Amino acid sequence: MKILILNSDIGYGGAEKNMAFVANELAKKGHEITFLTYRINNCLQELHPAVIHKHIQLETKGGNPFSMVRSILKLRGYIKKEKFDVAL
C-alpha cells in the first residue's frame, strides 16, 4: 500500500515521534511510505531506510489568501500525481 504521512516537520515533538514510529513500522511491513514535510525541511527522528522523506515548501502563515490557495493546490497536485492509497 502506498501511504503518505503529512506533517509540518519531523522534529522532537511527541506527534512527530509517533508519526515516525508509525512510518517505520509500516515500512517494515513492506508498505511504501512517504513522509512529507511542508514547513521545516529537517528530520530529527530516525526513519527506516525505506521511508522516503519529501519536502514541499508551502505558505503556512495567515497572509495572502491567494498564496494559501496556491499552497493547497500544490499539495493536492502532488498527492494526485503520486496516487497514494492513504494519507495521514
Side-chain angles (χ1 to χ4, degrees):
M1 184 177 290
K2 192 169 182 177
I3 302 171
L4 171 68
I5 298 178
L6 175 69
N7 199 41
S8 62
D9 65 274
I10 308 173
Y12 285 124
E16 293 93 338
K17 186 174 186 175
N18 284 310
M19 292 173 97
F21 174 78
V22 169
N24 291 337
E25 292 302 310
L26 290 170
K28 288 177 191 174
K29 294 181 189 282
H31 297 286
E32 186 178 333
I33 309 298
T34 299
F35 203 125
L36 178 67
T37 55
Y38 60 86
R39 187 177 296 157
I40 301 170
N41 186 15
N42 66 357
C43 184
L44 302 177
Q45 299 290 331
E46 187 174 330
L47 295 178
H48 187 277
V51 175
I52 300 164
H53 176 214
K54 171 91 172 149
H55 180 78
I56 297 177
Q57 189 64 42
L58 300 178
E59 175 64 44
T60 57
K61 305 264 192 259
N64 183 346
F66 294 109
S67 65
M68 295 295 285
V69 170
R70 274 194 305 271
S71 290
I72 291 168
L73 292 174
K74 186 177 183 181
L75 179 60
R76 182 178 183 267
Y78 174 75
I79 291 170
K80 284 185 78 171
K81 180 182 85 168
E82 294 297 322
K83 297 182 174 135
F84 292 102
D85 297 313
V86 176
L88 304 171

